[in-house]
Amino acid sequence: MRLTINDIAKKANVSKSTVSRVLNNSGYVNQETREKVEKVIKENAYYPSAQARSLSKRESNTVGVIIPEADNLFFVEVLRGISEVVDESDMTLIFCNTNNNLRKEKRALDTIIMQRVKGLIFTPVNDHSNDETEHKLKQKLRAINIPTVLLDRGVENSEWDGVFFENYKSAYKATEILINEGHKKIGVITGDLNLKIGRDRYQGFLDALKDHNMPVLEKYVYVGDFTVEKAYEISKEFLENNDLPEAILTSNNRTTLGLLKALNEKKVIPGKDIAVIGIDSIEVLDILDYKISCVTRDAVEMGRVAMRLLLERFDNPKKERQNYIMPFKINLK
């Protein structure tokens, strides 16, 4: 059975408050009593509850991370970057996955409150762009009242630090590359248009066509939702109709994978039968030598930057709000 502070106090024949002062290295305890308490702690292999310590201090040395897609390689890399900085800072990390579900997001935020974390890195389920959801989320974050950094997806009229990506510019540039390669029938599998990042990437596609006097071919605009499943379903449909665009932009790594699954089933070769450029790299495709160009961003660095912004906020709570926009590169195949 796990020992409590009360058990340690009884074994050392001292008060609970004395044990607490020894554990937290706060307040005066004479050397003889301190050694006696430490001896009991060592003999019983006692480790204080992190939650109990956070309750006594009103905060912990823990950072909370809430992400919407734990199985998305982008967020796996982001977590790696956060973890690197957390480890350097001698802090601990807990994270919750919302699966893009508003109910789970609320529960995750409640968990963060109960854990009394010192700070939060948070990717919302959606961009909360309507008045009701925006109000509720802001109310929740204000109630938590800890340093918070928004990651990848923002909140309208935000008052929190953030690390974001050049969604519009990256899609514009990717589409421009397909145009400059001479393709006339250019399609797109969009992301979730309920999300600002989905709308921005789609708008980049549309504006690139417009600026180069290219028509938007509606039959080649496929509305996706950033998932493998939806992209696969869409791709199967246009492949079965034998009406392929010459080139296609995919709006994230999962969309690319859904398209590739359908192409593979129909023995359609990317880079030969259809040109493909996707937003976000997929390392395994390079290993397998798929001829797919992509927009790349350093997801690990995004995680590092988010955690560094949080540390800066710990040190200077009143500093001006900061937004960091992550640059992109194009990897042509």
Side-chain angles (χ1 to χ4, degrees), residues 173 230 332:
K173 182 62 178 176
K230 184 66 174 178
L332 294 176

Side-chain angles (χ1 to χ4, degrees), residues 62-186:
T62 301
V63 170
V65 178
I66 299 176
I67 57 173
E69 301 164 3
D71 58 346
N72 186 328
L73 290 175
F74 167 73
F75 286 107
V76 171
E77 294 287 274
V78 165
L79 279 171
R80 197 176 93 193
I82 293 170
S83 297
E84 286 179 10
V85 181
V86 164
D87 291 345
E88 291 168 4
S89 308
D90 196 27
M91 302 183 78
T92 55
L93 179 69
I94 60 170
F95 87 93
C96 302
N97 175 41
T98 62
N99 279 326
N100 281 307
N101 181 289
L102 274 171
R103 182 180 56 81
K104 289 184 177 180
E105 179 178 87
K106 180 182 180 301
R107 190 165 63 191
L109 288 167
D110 288 340
T111 298
I112 292 300
I113 293 172
M114 288 187 291
Q115 292 292 326
R116 297 181 183 271
V117 299
K118 188 172 184 178
L120 172 65
I121 296 173
F122 176 42
T123 303
V125 164
N126 59 42
D127 56 11
H128 297 271
S129 54
N130 72 65
D131 289 343
E132 184 181 357
T133 57
E134 179 188 323
H135 175 71
K136 285 181 178 178
L137 180 66
K138 286 182 176 180
Q139 201 173 40
K140 194 78 171 178
L141 291 177
R142 288 169 186 149
I144 295 173
N145 193 29
I146 56 172
T148 297
V149 175
L150 300 175
L151 176 72
D152 195 47
R153 303 177 189 175
V155 176
E156 292 290 322
N157 305 308
S158 171
E159 59 203 63
W160 295 277
D161 297 325
V163 181
F164 306 110
F165 176 57
E166 293 181 309
N167 292 295
Y168 173 87
K169 287 182 180 179
S170 62
Y172 185 103
K173 182 62 178 176
T175 307
E176 190 173 56
I177 286 168
L178 296 176
I179 294 168
N180 291 338
E181 287 176 351
H183 301 295
K184 302 298 182 185
K185 298 193 297 182
I186 300 175

Side-chain angles (χ1 to χ4, degrees), residues 27-45:
Y28 175 74
V29 180
N30 70 56
Q31 189 61 29
E32 182 181 350
T33 302
R34 178 179 295 277
E35 289 174 358
K36 182 166 63 172
V37 173
E38 289 176 344
K39 183 172 184 288
V40 172
I41 288 171
K42 185 176 180 181
E43 287 175 347
N44 290 273

Side-chain angles (χ1 to χ4, degrees), residues 185-196:
K185 298 193 297 182
I186 300 175
V188 61
I189 302 178
T190 76
D192 185 347
L193 298 181
N194 292 313
L195 292 174
K196 188 174 186 300

